[in-house]
Amino acid sequence: MLVHIAIKNLAIVKKVDLALGLGLTAVTGETGAGKSIALDALGLCLGDRAESNMVRENVDKAEVVAHFDISKVSSAQTFLSENELQQDDNPHECFIRRVISPEGRSKAFVNGIPVNLSQLKTLGKTLALIHGQHAHYQFLKPENQRTLLDQYAQHQGLLEKTAQSYSTYKHSMRSLQELKDKQQQRLDRSQLLAYQVQELDEFSLGENEFVELEQNFKKLNNTQELISNTESALHTLQYSENESAISLLKQSIKSISNVAQYDEAVNGIMESLQSALIQAEDACSELSHYQSSVEADPEQLQEMEARYGKCLELARKHQVQPENLYEAHISLSDEYTSLTQDEDSLLELQTKVSEQLELYKKAAESLYKSRKKAAKTLSTDIQHSIREMNLPHAIVDVRVNHDDNAAPMLLGNDVVSIYLSVNPGQACEVMEKVVSGGELSRIGLALQVIGSKDNPIPTMVFDEVDTGISGPTAALIGKLLRKLGTNAQVLCVTHLPQVAAQAHNQLFVSKVTDGKSTETTLLKLTKEERINEIARLLAGDALTDTAIANARDLLKL
């Protein structure tokens, strides 16, 4: 419940401090006096957007502070606790402060702690509900009629189940569509890869095979040159008479050994020559062995030349270096396998989407049945309420149309429409087509009251919801609001004396100006002041004895 609101430098309000209580509080005043400013101030504390023109001229900021008693609002207590905004010493109170700069920037605080606008809106929804001047027009929209029915039916679990089924189905459907969109590309690529991989599989190049193949091909292709050069090397090292490298080394060793008899200083030279001789003889042995292994094999050379050439051809075809052809083969095989798996995934996902669609339809069907059942009792409640507001012949039929073949939607496949007849013999039509402005005001108020029955929000605000209503109907609406105020805090901006007279409390808004500036004040009226204000609403500015008597009668004083 809103206990107190303090407004400073907001629009044409310089300073207002207002204490509020339970029951119905009527807010009255002359047209243009600023009756809605208090509601705008409260809206700021509930998370409404701030504008630069909200700040009074020639001041550095506007400020609104709202004090709420949340001892019976568990949802607000939970929010404050979860967001670490609760007052430890007094968890049943909540103070909201909103500060606005002349540039339109604003800051919000809950119990002295800064919060963002999203947090403020979430908290505000648990504290108060404001119905604007034209709020009843929202009930002409089918989506709002469906929302009203869902709130009335209190089947949040079915709504959540349907929404979850929809989200799951939609996610899989997007994945399926992505696979389908790329299916032709995958088929074209898969066909090409199938040919390429088969060709490489048949060639079956081993890892590092090309390097060995290249080396062996070069060897076989140059056999005669290898044999010729080997023979020349052996001849030079061993077989050349008197001039072979080995014979020359032996001669040198013999000569040095003769020197060593007389000078041991050449022993090191002798050892080097002997080592060289041993290495030369070993080289001759290895060359001889190598020579015996080299032989011309035209058939083997032909086979190797064909494989080597094919390897070069495939490397050019796949635009890779020949030594990288093996890795290219592995990569293409992996890609082909992946594309094949995508096709399998497409079939699996199609089955999965079909199953999820069936689950969605079951959830939507359960939601439809619940809406259909609730629509009957809602029709009765609306009809009863508006018949009490001087529409005695009204017939209301809340209809729910379900299309099982329609594309899945987040909140089901139902269209909710309120059908109405207000005159005897008149067939029920969609409310939008048959309702007048005054009738819509009454129906809108009835819908708001009905929608609030199971609503735990403790404060309800109505801004001129009685527009287009007068006479006996106004008195009936006043009684309805007073009845609503027995279980909640209700604030109502009104211009009708019949409504104001039903209030438990009355506030008066006035506007004064000195020619240079304008200021709006908001005062709580005493019993005598209420009589005069009701009389003014009845007769205008000139207070007559008759108007005062009528005011007393309305107030039952």
Side-chain angles (χ1 to χ4, degrees), residues 5-19:
I5 186 167
I7 309 169
K8 186 177 179 181
N9 295 326
L10 184 70
I12 56 176
V13 173
K14 188 174 183 180
K15 186 177 181 180
V16 164
D17 281 285
L18 191 62

Side-chain angles (χ1 to χ4, degrees), residues 59 252 256 271 279 305 355 440 474 484 486 498 507 522 532:
V59 298
S252 297
I256 295 299
E271 290 176 1
Q279 290 180 10
E305 183 177 16
E355 292 172 350
L440 181 59
L484 188 62
T486 57
Q498 297 93 330
L507 303 176
L522 192 62
N532 291 335

Side-chain angles (χ1 to χ4, degrees), residues 321-338:
Q321 294 297 320
E323 56 268 26
N324 297 328
L325 184 60
Y326 175 82
E327 286 77 9
H329 180 195
I330 298 300
S331 177
L332 291 173
S333 296
D334 290 344
E335 184 183 356
Y336 178 69
T337 300
S338 176

